[in-house]
Structure formats: structure tokens, C-alpha cells
Amino acid sequence: MKIFFPLVIVMILVLLVFAGIKANLYFLFGVVIPYAALAVFVLGFIYRVLKWASSPVPFHIPTTCGQEKTLPWIKQNKIENPSSALGVIIRMALEVFAFRSLFRNLKTELRDGKIVYGSEKWLWAAGLAFHWSFLIILVRHLRFFMENVPVVLKTIEGLDSFLQIGVPLFYMTDAVILAAVTYLFLRRLYLPQIKYISLAADYFPLFLIFGIVLSGVLMRYFFKVHIVGVKILAMGLVGFNPDPKILSEIGAIFYVHLFLLSILFAYFPFSKLMHLGGVFLSPTRNLSNNSREVRHINPWNYPVHVHTYEEYENDFRDKMKKAGIPVEKE
Amino acid sequence: MAKLPKPEELSKIDLKPPKTDWMDTPVEFKEDMYCWGAKGKNLKVVEFPNARDWSPKEEDWKLPENWKEIVMEAFGDRLSKYRSFKLFMDICVRCGACADKCHFFIGGGDPKNMPVLRAELMRSVYRKHFTTGGKIFGKTAGARELTLNVLKEWWYYYYQCTECRRCSVFCPYGIDTAEITMMGREFLNLLGLNIDWIAGPVANCYMKGNHLGLEPHTIKNSIEFFLDDIENITGIKIEPTFNRKGAEILFVTPSGDLFADPGTYTAMGYLMLFHELGLDYTWSTYASEGGNFGFFTSNEMGKRLNSKIYAEAKRLGVKWILGGECGHMWRVLHQYMDTWNGPADFLEVPKSPITGTVFENAKATKMVHIAEFTADLIKHGKLKLDPRRNDHLKVTFHDSCNTSRGMGILEEPRYIIKNVCKNFYEMPENTIREYTFCCGSGTGLNASENMALRMRGGLPRANAVKYVHDNHGVNMLANICAIDRATLKSAMEYWVPDVQVCGIHELVANALVMKGEKERTLDLRLEPLPGKAEKEGNE
Ligand code: SF4
Ligand code: SF4
């Protein structure tokens, strides 16, 4: 059910596109839905981040992963246990760009009654490959939205296709992302613990992204679509002035690609994909470990009922006096 | 405890999850895996709601009629108060990186002890009540209603997490399951569903100043008892002070070390060190607890117990506070105390009267960790040490969860150990420092009725100790935590019987050459020092 349900949903979504094209709903699929999806994404994303930010960080709770700042002659681990803003920035950058914590991953195994911890970098490698190729592919697509393609973009494209195979040139990221998504799916399927914890919400984005990449690859390398038409549409969308005439000239597979992507964007703010925004707000990572040096303020700190020294002494005054422990009131 | 299976039995673990989906697997209360329910009288002392006697074994938990409302209201409230809680409810991608990092999962194989599932126990309810997707799609979206069974499941598993934060080290978003466990326990406490092993010490600490419920004269007596032993060993008579106004330093340490071996040897170590330094310090009977079982109950209870430290420092007019060896105590002192009960503007920035070192890193809280204090002394050559007196020991060091992952005090204890004994061996690197394994009994789970849980949770630690024991003949497991000293002792007796447990200040005091001491023949445990046994016999 957890796998089947999201798979069926994605298949239905694809069929919807074909049905829509049949019914001549080009404007809906080519203009209305992409705009709506983008709006939901942007507003939803902002809303979610603001909602998180509206809850305060009452306590200073970094997870420290190295020596703290203490005596001057003890070497502090300034990145894994930062005491300065710069340290935190580097720690966060490593987390966001290199998945530092995933890199620590170990595999716990039992071998003849002993527990052993093997290095396990596949998840890190696949995760990194997936996220980076996704980003590069997104950036590559920007060429559709620009009159003159800037040098940076051309460089990225050049690097991505440096193997110089095929016409049109083959992009490595296309293969990498397919492989990575497949791996991330297969590990959910075959690693018993991961299968056990997986929800439909974990398979759905995988299927969706697989569909997006696959339709993109098919479109680029196999069923060639009217690429100039795509560019005209994209430019029109950017200028809020899409040309309805061009819509019906682009192949159906393009609309599959665009629709699944729209769904991904619209789904994003309501899902675990929000980890993209969340990681920046995580108080175990984005705080410096200086809570003995600088007082952290809890905005909702409130007075509590305590058992005062006076009450304590009242309870034990005689015993204290007998034991020779000084008291306030004789 | 009689039922506790043999180590060979208990170490047969299957880490493969069962066939049935976790949501369809109702919680099963296994023998020796949980603690007794809080007694009403202990909750009444601290004015907790729904105080009553109840037993987790019984079907009927005697819950208040509106228990669900109480929980859901608190749930919403905490979401708006803790960004950590809200964020961690939302952003887990179930990548599973944390799954096999929890000592309870590794040592037990119960899938709901995988940190990610422990958190899902609560996330599922969050989805049902606080997200649109969960409300519409229900189980398909991983959402479920808060039922009595779910509540019991929470109780069982949130009292099977020691808030050790190992999972949080491995999570790509830093999701800290301890934060979720803390919330789980807050909610349960609103229904009077604490465990008695926590509620009892909390009530004691509230009324008497320490978890053990030692009254002022008893504290003094216990310490005097140590003084006799010290005099036997060194020939030196020590006269510490209690509740003394005008002392320069207030010393606060966990009460556990005044009570049972081997913590008592650490306490003797403090006494000897401070005497040798001629430190102007005082013990307090009111703030006679460094640890904080309130922290394992609710945020508010943690604050209530912690308040005594600053209050006492103010009353006595000391300049700064020195804290003994303890794990969660230091998580609280380091990350919570100043926020709760500060600012400590009536104190001065701590300065070692012996070396003149100013502890800039503690300039707001004004509280210094004794490992920092002692490492600084050794570095400045202020202690005369004879490490040969520890020659019979082959030592390894266990990093406590809280001091490593909630503070980062890693090198000071190692530096001290290396200066006071010659044989030091590290456990495998995946099991020390930030990767350290919990003793298996933290957060108030060091009761006796849950011994199977404790031994299972202690297995990963013990497994690493066994490695250095087998390879290097290690026979002493040093640490800087009072709970470790109590719990690792049991874990070692069970898993690696030849290894003993000690605090580092026991090792320091053994090696410490004191002014005017007689020739020592005994260590702090009143056992012959290396090379001294025969001599004794000859005399
Ligand atoms: S490592 Fe973090 S994101 Fe991954 S399953 Fe665990 S809590 Fe979730
Ligand atoms: S905090 Fe520690 S005990 Fe709790 S789930 Fe994480 S690893 Fe397990």
C-alpha cells in the first residue's frame, strides 16, 4: 500500500496529462497549472518557514561533535563545536553543501556476538549525487527563460556534457540523477529497517522525480519535442504573456514533464521536502556552543515555584544546629 | 532481576524488523524492560497534577477523563514554544541514518527503539491533529489518532530513551530525538505518568536538596566517613566546611557520589585535592545536588530544582561555582541553567585562585567544570603527582553522552588521566567522543526493575570496553559522570566482569602526593598500592 498508492497516483497524474491534451486543455496544462504551482510553492515555502520561525528557540541546544572552547592550550574543534558565528557558518555550509552528518554514517552489524561498525557511505554518496544533479539540472533549465544565455550557464552545460557523446550532447547529470533516485528507491525496498520506517510520503516524491527525469530524458534524447516552441512558451511565461498559439505545437511528453514538475512544486511546501528550508533552522546545528559565555534568553521564561532556603532551614534547623552546620536563624 | 537472562542469551539480538507494520503492532510491555509507575505521594510533593498510585502493568491507568484534551492542548502549546519540536515534527525524511545508532535498538532490536520510529510514534499523532494532509489521508499519510494504546506506547518508549543525542549526531538535519522524548515525558507528566525512579528523587531533591534525600546532618556524616578513610590512607586530617558564608567557591556535585561505590572514591578525591590546594570553598546541604532528575520530568521541574544552585551561591556570597563530575548535570548547567535562573550577575567571572587562570568560557554562568579546573592545575604544574600509584590500572575513558554531545568536554579528562596514570587505552573511535555510547541507564532509567533494558542498552558500551579489555587488558573504565559510576558498574559486572569503574578524581587523588602525607600503602579503595602489598606483609 505504501508503495502502491503513490505509484498509482503518479500514473494517474501522467494519464491526466494525456487526457487533458486530448481534450485540448493546453492552456490549463501549459499556463494555468504551472503558474498556480509556482505560486503555491513560493507562498507555501515562505509560510512554512515563517511558521517555524514563529516558534522561539527557548534553549541553547547545539549538538556538539568535537572539543569545545575551554582552556587556551586545548585545541578546540572550531567547526564541529563552534563558538563563533564564523564557525557556525562553516558548520552549516558543510552540512548543506556536503551533507557532513550523513558522511558520518556507520553500519551497525552483529558478527559472532560482537557489535561492529562498518563505514557506510552509499547513502551519503547517493544523497549528494541526487541533490547536486537536481540542482545543476534546474540551473541548466534556466536557459529556457533567458534571451541571452549567460556564460556561467554555458560553462555548467559544457562541464555537464564534457563527455561529448551523442546528439544532442549527453548530460551526465541526467544519468546520475536517474541512478541516484533508483538507488534511493531500492534501498527503501530492500533494506529491511528502511523499508520498515518508510511511508507513502517517502515513495511519492521519488516516483514523481523519477517521472520528471524520465520524461525529460525521453524528450531530449528520444522523442524530440518542438524545442523552439518550449523556449517561446517559457519566455512568454516569464513575461506573463504566454503565446497560446505555440502551446499545441509542443509534444505531449513535454506536458507530462511540466505537469509532474508542477505537482512536485505544489506538493513541496506540504511535505518532508521542506527539509530544504528546515535544515537552516535546526537549533542543534545552527547555534554556537557558547552558552556558558553568553546568556541565552528564553522569551517565555516564567517564574516557577521553588523550595526556598528559608523553608529548607525551617524543616531542618535543629538537625543542622546539632550537626554544627551554620544556620540563618538561631 | 532474578529473571534476567544470562549475557549469552541477552546478546542474541535480531535487528531485522518484524513483518507487521509498526502502526499495526500494538505495544507489548516486556518483562524487566520498564520502570514502576510514579507514586502519588511523590508527585504531590511537587504539586503535580493527577497524582495517584498506578501501575503500568494494570489495564486501567486511572487516567483523568479528559486526558486526551490535556495532551493535545499541551502538544499545541509546546509546538508554539519550541522551534526544535515543531521543526523535528516536520522535516524528517526517514532516511534511516539514525536507525541503527541508538544503543537500545542495537542492544535490543525492538524497531520502535530506532530513533526515527521513536519520533514517528509522536509524529503520527502530530500529523493527525496538526496537519491537513494527515487529517485527510489518515494512515496513508502516516497519521493516527491518539488512543489509549498510543499513549501507552509513548510511555513505554519514551522511558526507553536516555536522551543521549547520539542519533542527532548522525541526522543530516540534526534532528534530536531527545527533544521529542522530552516532550513525550512532559505530556505524560501532565497525566501523572512519571516513573517512580524519577519522581522519587525529584521529590527528595525538592524538599531535601538532593536526589537521595540525604538530610543536612547525614550529608555531613557521609563526608566525615570519607575523611576517616582519607586519614587512614594519608595520615592527613581534612576539615571541609558546610554552608559557609564568605567562601570563595561553592562546590556542587551529584549526591550519588556521597552514597555508593565507586562514586564515593571520586568524592574522596575531591576532598583530597581541595585540601591539598588549600581551596577556600564550601559544600552546601541545600544545593547538595548537581544532577537534575527534574530535567527528565518536565522543563518546569528542571528549572525548579536547578534554582537552588544560584540561590545558594547568592546566599553564601561566594564568587563562583565549581561543579563535580557528572553528565546530565553538565548538560543542564551548560545549556539550561543560565537561561532558566540567570543572570548570575552577583557572581564574578571564575578565576582559579591557584593558577590565576580566568575561565572566560564560563564568564556568564560563572560555573566551571572540575575537569577544566584540574587540567589547568596540572598544566601549570601545581600538583605533585606520582602516576606509578595507578600502575595496577589499565584505564580506558568513557565519554558521557551529555558532556560530549551537549558540551564538548573531551580533552580535559583525557589530559588528566594521562598525567595521573601511565596505561591509557582508547576504545574504538566509533564508540568514543561524539560517537560515544550511553551507559544504557541515563535519564532516570537506572532503576532495578528494568534491568534487562539497562543491560541491553549498555551492551554497545560494554562491547567496546570488552574490545580494549581483550586486546590491552584494560581493567578500569574511567568516566566523569555519577550515573555512569553507578550504572556502568552493573553493566560491567554483567558483560565484562573484570573491569571496574571509577571517576577521574579518584585516579587524581591516588596519584596526588600531598604535603605531610605518610607513605601510602593503600589506594582510595583501601586496597594495596602496586608494590606495597608485600612490604606491608614483611613489616
Ligand atoms: S537521520 Fe534524521 S532525517 Fe534521517 S530518519 Fe533519522 S531523524 Fe529522520
Ligand atoms: S537520544 Fe539516544 S536513546 Fe534516545 S533515541 Fe536517540 S540514540 Fe536512542
Side-chain angles (χ1 to χ4, degrees):
Chain A
M1 193 57 198
K2 286 174 176 173
I3 307 174
F4 194 64
F5 179 71
L7 186 63
V8 168
I9 298 268
V10 173
M11 280 167 13
I12 291 176
L13 291 175
V14 175
L15 291 179
L16 267 181
V17 182
F18 285 109
I21 301 288
K22 259 255 148 67
N24 256 322
L25 296 174
Y26 286 109
F27 197 73
L28 180 66
F29 281 92
V31 178
V32 179
I33 292 178
Y35 272 143
L38 192 67
V40 171
F41 173 75
V42 173
L43 296 176
F45 196 100
I46 294 172
Y47 172 76
R48 287 298 296 275
V49 170
L50 289 181
K51 197 135 182 250
W52 284 329
S54 73
S55 295
V57 179
F59 301 107
H60 206 84
I61 54 163
T63 303
T64 57
C65 297
Q67 172 63 39
E68 72 170 345
K69 177 183 160 200
T70 52
L71 300 162
W73 49 273
I74 291 181
K75 193 164 175 280
Q76 178 199 358
N77 188 333
K78 291 190 175 162
I79 295 169
E80 307 279 19
N81 193 342
S83 55
S84 67
L86 181 67
V88 172
I89 290 169
I90 298 175
R91 188 181 198 198
M92 287 303 295
L94 282 174
E95 202 64 89
V96 172
F97 296 116
F99 299 0
R100 169 69 183 99
S101 293
L102 263 194
F103 189 72
R104 296 192 173 98
N105 199 19
L106 301 168
K107 191 173 169 183
T108 310
E109 279 173 312
L110 300 162
R111 269 188 229 142
D112 344 302
K114 284 198 186 115
I115 308 170
V116 289
Y117 312 94
S119 148
E120 162 57 60
K121 300 274 185 262
W122 284 107
L123 175 61
W124 170 80
L128 207 60
F130 167 74
H131 284 84
W132 273 107
S133 42
F134 198 107
L135 181 68
I136 293 171
I137 293 172
L138 263 185
V139 171
R140 273 209 273 102
H141 277 70
L142 291 179
R143 68 149 44 242
F144 288 105
F145 302 94
M146 291 172 187
E147 205 66 72
N148 304 308
V149 180
V151 188
V152 211
L153 263 188
K154 284 194 176 142
T155 321
I156 292 177
E157 285 171 359
L159 289 172
D160 200 356
S161 60
F162 96 105
L163 291 179
Q164 299 284 328
I165 340 176
V167 185
L169 282 179
F170 167 74
Y171 283 131
M172 283 181 298
T173 43
D174 290 347
V176 171
I177 198 168
L178 275 181
V181 171
T182 309
Y183 173 79
L184 292 175
F185 170 65
L186 290 179
R187 74 186 281 280
R188 286 203 187 273
L189 211 54
Y190 287 110
L191 301 182
Q193 290 160 7
I194 311 302
K195 183 167 186 194
Y196 200 69
I197 61 174
S198 296
L199 297 175
D202 299 317
Y203 292 104
F204 180 62
L206 283 177
F207 293 148
L208 207 52
I209 291 167
F210 196 85
I212 294 167
V213 179
L214 195 67
S215 54
V217 165
L218 288 177
M219 178 164 47
R220 178 174 168 88
Y221 303 105
F222 301 99
F223 318 114
K224 309 269 153 62
V225 292
H226 181 19
I227 195 82
V228 179
V230 173
K231 172 116 190 182
I232 294 172
L233 173 62
M235 292 302 299
L237 286 172
V238 171
F240 292 102
N241 182 23
D243 176 4
K245 282 187 299 274
I246 199 76
L247 288 167
S248 58
E249 290 171 26
I250 313 169
I253 185 109
F254 167 75
Y255 288 99
V256 173
H257 191 64
L258 186 61
F259 184 59
L260 293 185
L261 184 75
S262 303
I263 296 291
L264 183 72
F265 269 57
Y267 173 71
F268 201 103
F270 307 100
S271 69
K272 69 166 193 176
L273 302 178
M274 276 307 289
H275 65 265
L276 167 63
V279 63
F280 294 95
L281 274 78
S282 183
T284 61
R285 291 288 185 273
N286 70 8
L287 291 172
S288 65
N289 181 32
N290 62 353
S291 43
R292 267 194 295 160
E293 208 171 333
V294 182
R295 179 164 184 246
H296 180 94
I297 306 285
N298 172 5
W300 50 261
N301 195 21
Y302 56 92
V304 293
H305 192 186
V306 300
H307 191 68
T308 61
Y309 175 78
E310 209 182 347
E311 291 168 294
Y312 171 85
E313 193 183 295
N314 287 341
D315 290 345
F316 296 110
R317 187 168 295 110
D318 288 341
K319 289 172 174 169
M320 289 169 82
K321 274 166 49 183
K322 226 188 247 160
I325 299 170
V327 289
E328 297 271 344
K329 275 194 222 137
E330 280 303 320
Chain B
M1 241 198 105
K3 284 173 259 116
L4 194 64
K6 294 225 147 49
E8 305 79 57
E9 284 302 308
L10 205 68
S11 58
K12 282 186 193 134
I13 304 153
D14 188 5
L15 296 184
K16 279 215 190 66
K19 288 253 163 351
T20 49
D21 187 75
W22 66 265
M23 267 201 217
D24 302 325
T25 317
V27 54
E28 182 197 339
F29 281 59
K30 298 215 174 88
E31 238 6 91
D32 288 338
M33 293 290 282
Y34 57 95
C35 295
W36 288 320
K39 293 200 184 76
K41 68 170 177 34
N42 285 328
L43 298 183
K44 277 192 195 117
V45 170
V46 288
E47 307 122 26
F48 266 36
N50 298 305
R52 66 191 180 282
D53 287 349
W54 66 286
S55 162
K57 263 188 255 181
E58 314 260 306
E59 199 42 48
D60 178 13
W61 280 17
K62 305 183 196 163
L63 293 169
E65 202 125 297
N66 60 339
W67 68 267
K68 210 183 282 188
E69 273 159 58
I70 298 177
V71 172
M72 291 329 298
E73 198 196 319
F75 207 131
D77 176 65
R78 300 311 188 274
L79 285 171
S80 71
K81 280 184 173 162
Y82 291 84
R83 186 178 302 165
S84 54
F85 186 39
K86 194 158 172 187
L87 199 69
F88 297 165
M89 284 293 106
D90 282 327
I91 60 170
C92 171
V93 297
R94 286 162 300 277
C95 69
C98 61
D100 56 354
K101 307 302 183 285
C102 176
H103 50 285
F104 286 119
F105 177 65
I106 299 172
D110 183 338
K112 286 175 191 165
N113 274 329
M114 293 193 264
V116 44
L117 269 199
R118 196 189 306 287
E120 288 287 313
L121 299 180
M122 185 160 291
R123 252 181 228 126
S124 51
V125 172
Y126 166 76
R127 289 189 195 106
K128 184 82 199 175
H129 290 268
F130 296 96
T131 72
T132 327
K135 278 182 193 144
I136 301 172
F137 294 107
K139 210 176 151 191
T140 320
R144 62 175 182 173
E145 196 65 56
L146 176 62
T147 63
L148 187 58
N149 265 324
V150 170
L151 187 79
K152 291 188 174 183
E153 191 173 53
W154 281 6
W155 188 85
Y156 189 70
Y157 290 103
Y158 292 130
Y159 288 103
Q160 287 195 6
C161 165
T162 47
E163 301 176 6
C164 78
R165 312 181 99 202
R166 189 166 195 264
C167 45
S168 136
V169 168
F170 291 92
C171 174
Y173 321 117
I175 293 177
D176 181 5
T177 313
E179 287 289 301
I180 294 163
T181 295
M182 283 181 202
M183 293 305 140
R185 291 188 179 189
E186 288 230 12
F187 303 158
L188 291 163
N189 266 285
L190 293 172
L191 306 175
L193 297 176
N194 206 342
I195 61 173
D196 204 51
W197 195 259
I198 295 176
V202 165
N204 276 339
C205 195
Y206 192 66
M207 296 306 290
K208 300 185 178 169
N210 57 79
H211 293 151
L212 296 169
L214 306 175
E215 299 189 350
H217 55 293
T218 323
I219 295 178
K220 200 172 170 209
N221 282 345
S222 311
I223 290 181
E224 276 165 357
F225 192 74
F226 303 153
L227 301 178
D228 290 343
D229 277 353
I230 294 172
E231 194 172 353
N232 268 339
I233 297 165
T234 63
I236 294 174
K237 200 163 167 51
I238 295 178
E239 285 172 354
T241 57
F242 299 86
N243 301 9
R244 175 166 61 91
K245 286 194 176 176
E248 182 181 355
I249 298 165
L250 169 65
F251 179 61
V252 180
T253 202
S255 65
D257 282 345
L258 301 182
F259 181 68
D261 300 349
T264 48
Y265 310 125
T266 308
M268 287 163 69
Y270 301 143
L271 287 160
M272 290 162 70
L273 175 69
F274 299 158
H275 173 85
E276 180 61 17
L277 298 171
L279 205 65
D280 178 14
Y281 83 108
T282 182
W283 295 75
S284 162
T285 61
Y286 170 65
S288 47
E289 181 59 69
N292 192 330
F293 273 38
F295 187 62
F296 308 146
T297 303
S298 68
N299 170 60
E300 185 172 310
M301 198 63 235
K303 177 175 170 177
R304 289 170 72 188
L305 295 186
N306 175 261
S307 68
K308 297 185 184 189
I309 297 180
Y310 277 155
E312 186 70 337
K314 195 169 190 175
R315 184 181 76 88
L316 298 177
V318 300
K319 289 193 180 140
W320 56 278
I321 313 168
L322 182 61
E325 299 178 17
C326 183
H328 78 273
M329 158 178 163
W330 273 100
R331 171 102 199 270
V332 169
L333 300 177
H334 184 71
Q335 298 194 328
Y336 289 82
M337 174 163 77
D338 204 5
T339 303
W340 275 338
N341 293 310
D345 42 18
F346 50 91
L347 296 172
E348 291 175 15
V349 176
K351 178 175 169 189
S352 170
I354 316 298
T355 64
T357 299
V358 178
F359 295 91
E360 288 286 344
N361 62 322
K363 71 172 178 230
T365 50
K366 323 283 199 302
M367 187 145 183
V368 174
H369 192 293
I370 188 144
E372 295 167 339
F373 180 73
T374 305
D376 174 62
L377 292 172
I378 296 178
K379 182 76 181 176
H380 284 86
K382 299 291 181 191
L383 301 181
K384 200 166 164 217
L385 298 166
D386 180 4
R388 282 173 310 176
R389 291 185 190 160
N390 285 319
D391 268 357
H392 54 314
L393 302 178
K394 294 197 169 166
V395 180
T396 191
F397 180 68
H398 160 73
D399 292 277
S400 302
C401 308
N402 287 287
T403 47
S404 54
R405 289 184 282 260
M407 191 176 186
I409 189 149
L410 308 173
E411 295 307 332
E412 293 88 340
R414 287 176 167 79
Y415 177 79
I416 296 172
I417 293 173
K418 286 178 193 162
N419 274 284
V420 297
C421 58
K422 289 192 279 186
N423 313 309
F424 176 68
Y425 303 92
E426 289 277 17
M427 287 181 272
E429 58 174 346
N430 293 329
T431 71
I432 54 170
R433 299 174 192 266
E434 70 269 26
Y435 298 123
T436 191
F437 276 111
C438 182
C439 63
S441 314
T443 59
L445 302 185
N446 49 330
S448 51
E449 64 270 19
N450 61 339
M451 206 38 104
L453 173 75
R454 291 181 47 192
M455 292 304 110
R456 285 186 182 287
L459 175 59
R461 172 74 302 155
N463 181 67
V465 175
K466 186 158 189 327
Y467 178 85
V468 278
H469 172 67
D470 292 349
N471 287 287
H472 305 289
V474 162
N475 57 9
M476 186 58 90
L477 177 57
N479 58 71
I480 46 168
C481 173
I483 291 193
D484 279 329
R485 289 189 277 278
T487 62
L488 284 174
K489 189 177 171 218
S490 331
M492 289 303 117
E493 279 163 9
Y494 185 77
W495 292 114
V496 205
D498 301 328
V499 175
Q500 292 189 301
V501 178
C502 73
I504 57 172
H505 278 80
E506 177 186 346
L507 301 174
V508 169
N510 265 338
L512 185 68
V513 181
M514 296 171 75
K515 289 182 274 304
E517 70 177 13
K518 65 176 190 189
E519 195 194 340
R520 286 203 216 176
T521 55
L522 299 173
D523 66 9
L524 298 200
R525 303 188 175 201
L526 300 178
E527 284 161 13
L529 282 173
K532 297 289 163 112
E534 312 85 76
K535 246 193 227 165
E536 279 253 294
N538 293 343
E539 276 166 10

